[in-house]
Every structure is written in C-alpha cells, then in structure tokens.
Amino acid sequence: PINIPELEIAALHLFVVQNRNRLTGWRRTYEVVEIFPTKTGVMLQTLYRWNAVNDTFVKKNESKRIYSDLTASTGMTTREIEQDLKDKETILRWLHKHDVREVTDVGMIINQYYTDIAENTSFVLDLAKKDGDPRIIINMFKEEHGIE
C-alpha cells in the first residue's frame, strides 16, 4: 500500500500495474487503470487487463478522460488521435516482428519517427508499412550521430 493523498492521485491520468513471472522472468503489464476526479474524490476505471491464458490484452472500458485531455493539450481531434495511435501500433508491431528489442535501438527509431512528424514526412511509418528492415533506420541514426 502506498499512502498518496487523493488530491495528488487526481493529478495522474493512469496507473499501469505490472507483474513479473519469477519462473520465466517475463514482465507483463497486468492492467491499465484510468484515474479521473469526481466531486467526492477520485474514481478508478480499468481500461485494459492482461489475459494470462493467451497473453493478450482485453479492453474492459472506454476511456472517459484520456481523449478529452489529449484533445485539450494537443489540439488534435479524436479521429486524429486514433489515427496517431494506429500509426504507433503499426510501428511497434513492426519492431516486434523484426525482433528489435534493445531500448537504444527502439529509441533511435522512435526519435526518427518524431523527427518525421516535425518535418512533415513519414519515413519510419512508410518503412514499417512496407515491412522494410528497421536496421536501415538504426544504422542511419548511428551514422548521423557518430555512434558505433
């Protein structure tokens, strides 16, 4: 148990609860819980829960807070946010398929993805959609930044 005042909890958006299987060493996110303030305190709502039997996430509820907060802070519409999430899912699935697991390699690709957005290009997303080799981006990033 953690003794955190409700006022501070209300300032958070999500709890992510993780579990580590001591037999396999695998770490899994067990559930994602949304936090939203009410007149009487805070409410918690489970958005996703991990199903250990088939190692998948099950959507439990729609978010009540996340989309409105994202819209307010980014100026994006709900439709744009959903497309952005789909694009990011495409990239993450692509990295998983190509066994890109090192945090520095993932970081290089994500860095390039956000550079693409800032420059209004889509090199990373296009490569992911074509199922190209992600190491092209990793090697390019290393060369540009003098990393061996």
Side-chain angles (χ1 to χ4, degrees):
I2 302 173
N3 188 12
I4 302 174
E6 274 194 25
L7 186 60
E8 290 182 30
I9 290 175
L12 300 173
H13 293 106
L14 297 171
F15 282 134
V16 177
V17 180
Q18 292 194 322
N19 177 41
R20 188 170 139 248
N21 183 321
R22 298 197 188 285
L23 297 175
T24 64
W26 290 3
R27 184 178 307 269
R28 292 289 187 264
T29 296
Y30 174 69
E31 65 183 355
V32 178
V33 178
E34 181 176 47
I35 306 157
F36 52 97
T38 66
K39 293 177 183 173
T40 60
V42 295
M43 283 202 52
L44 304 177
Q45 173 176 259
T46 301
L47 300 179
Y48 296 93
R49 182 165 291 141
W50 176 57
N51 179 331
V53 174
N54 56 13
D55 196 23
T56 60
F57 274 104
V58 177
K59 187 172 189 171
K60 295 293 186 177
N61 293 292
E62 290 290 330
S63 169
K64 293 182 179 180
R65 180 177 181 185
I66 300 300
Y67 281 104
S68 64
D69 285 0
L70 283 173
T71 297
S73 65
T74 65
M76 295 170 73
T77 65
T78 300
R79 181 182 226 144
E80 290 170 327
I81 292 167
E82 287 173 353
Q83 183 59 54
D84 185 56
L85 290 171
K86 286 178 185 174
D87 291 347
K88 290 173 181 171
E89 180 181 5
T90 298
I91 292 167
L92 291 173
R93 288 187 185 281
W94 170 62
L95 294 176
H96 181 262
K97 178 181 179 184
H98 287 274
D99 201 34
V100 176
R101 298 180 184 273
E102 293 297 320
V103 68
T104 53
D105 293 343
V106 173
M108 289 176 204
I109 290 171
I110 299 304
N111 182 293
Q112 183 61 48
Y113 171 75
Y114 282 108
T115 299
D116 289 352
I117 290 172
E119 296 174 355
N120 203 24
T121 62
S122 58
F123 180 65
V124 173
L125 185 59
D126 290 345
L127 192 61
K129 287 179 177 179
K130 293 176 185 173
D131 198 29
D133 186 352
R135 281 156 187 79
I136 292 170
I137 296 169
I138 295 167
N139 293 335
M140 182 181 72
F141 188 95
K142 286 179 177 180
E143 186 176 308
E144 285 177 7
H145 293 86
I147 301 170
E148 292 189 29

